[in-house]
Amino acid sequence: GHRGGAGSGVLGVRGSATHELLVTSVLSSEDAKTTLCPALIRAYSVMDAVEGLDVDRDKFDKFHTRDVIARLLEELWTKDECVASVAELKDDDLFADFAGCVLGDLAYVLQDSLDRLTHIAEMEKAKADELAWNALPARTREEKEQFTRSQERTATGYLRNAKKTLQLLNLLASSTAVAPAFVSA
């Protein structure tokens, strides 16, 4: 998929002919405007089942896929019909499942990040004791530093994911039509 940088969206580079054609084609369809968001919410919710299958873990990343879905929902959220289609889910188990997945993901990535940050802090403390740190073999120090850098990258990615997940929750809850669905969920 497209991992857009500045000025690009999940539907291609914003403003490009391809992006505009795709958005116009999809959003000119009344059916798409009323069925796409619920379908995306269902896909987000069933992602755990896909991950549990015997799939190549290197080629399937639940968090990345859910991030793409969240970005699609953000793009679609400007259409009243899309918001209304989500609001209609308020008494549906689908919305409860979705809310549970979103909150579960958020709890997971925050807990994992905190665990990694704890390791990083322990490593910094160990390095602060220069006498003990320098007494370690050079290879051991390098391995510990490489592992810590890996922990820093992963924690940064998970915290970025947590921020995006909170943005999704805020977006959905900002709608007076959709907010009651969180109470029902």
Side-chain angles (χ1 to χ4, degrees):
H2 176 70
R3 292 178 186 245
S8 52
V10 72
L11 299 177
V13 176
R14 251 184 238 286
S16 73
T18 304
H19 177 266
E20 295 306 317
L21 180 62
L22 179 58
V23 170
T24 301
S25 296
V26 170
L27 295 181
S28 64
S29 162
E30 289 303 314
D31 282 343
K33 287 190 275 189
T34 59
T35 60
L36 194 51
C37 284
L40 289 169
I41 285 172
R42 181 174 312 285
Y44 191 107
S45 300
V46 299
M47 205 64 54
D48 290 327
V50 173
E51 189 177 49
L53 298 175
D54 189 20
V55 295
D56 188 345
R57 294 196 184 274
D58 295 335
K59 294 185 180 180
F60 179 77
D61 179 352
K62 171 179 77 173
F63 292 111
H64 171 71
T65 305
R66 283 183 171 166
D67 179 60
V68 170
I69 291 171
R71 289 186 285 148
L72 282 166
L73 288 170
E74 283 178 29
E75 292 224 16
L76 295 168
W77 208 248
T78 60
K79 301 296 178 195
D80 292 338
E81 299 91 341
C82 295
V83 175
S85 71
V86 174
E88 290 175 14
L89 299 175
K90 71 178 181 228
D91 296 322
D92 192 315
D93 287 344
L94 174 59
F95 193 86
D97 292 345
F98 171 71
C101 287
V102 171
L103 294 172
D105 282 356
L106 185 59
Y108 175 82
V109 295
L110 288 172
Q111 182 61 55
D112 190 278
S113 296
L114 287 173
D115 292 345
R116 290 171 194 273
L117 291 170
T118 299
H119 168 82
I120 293 164
E122 290 168 354
M123 181 65 170
E124 293 299 320
K125 185 177 177 182
K127 287 174 70 175
D129 182 353
E130 291 183 33
L131 190 60
W133 180 254
N134 290 330
L136 294 172
R139 181 181 173 104
T140 301
R141 287 193 312 263
E142 180 57 31
E143 287 171 355
K144 287 179 178 279
E145 287 175 344
Q146 283 180 347
F147 181 72
T148 299
R149 285 191 296 273
S150 171
Q151 296 286 71
E152 289 169 345
R153 285 189 301 275
T154 302
T156 298
Y158 275 177
L159 289 171
R160 189 178 308 112
N161 181 281
K163 181 180 175 184
K164 291 295 291 176
T165 303
L166 284 170
Q167 288 171 334
L168 175 63
L169 285 170
N170 281 333
L171 178 70
L172 297 175
S174 70
S175 165
T176 57
V178 175
F182 283 101
V183 177
S184 304

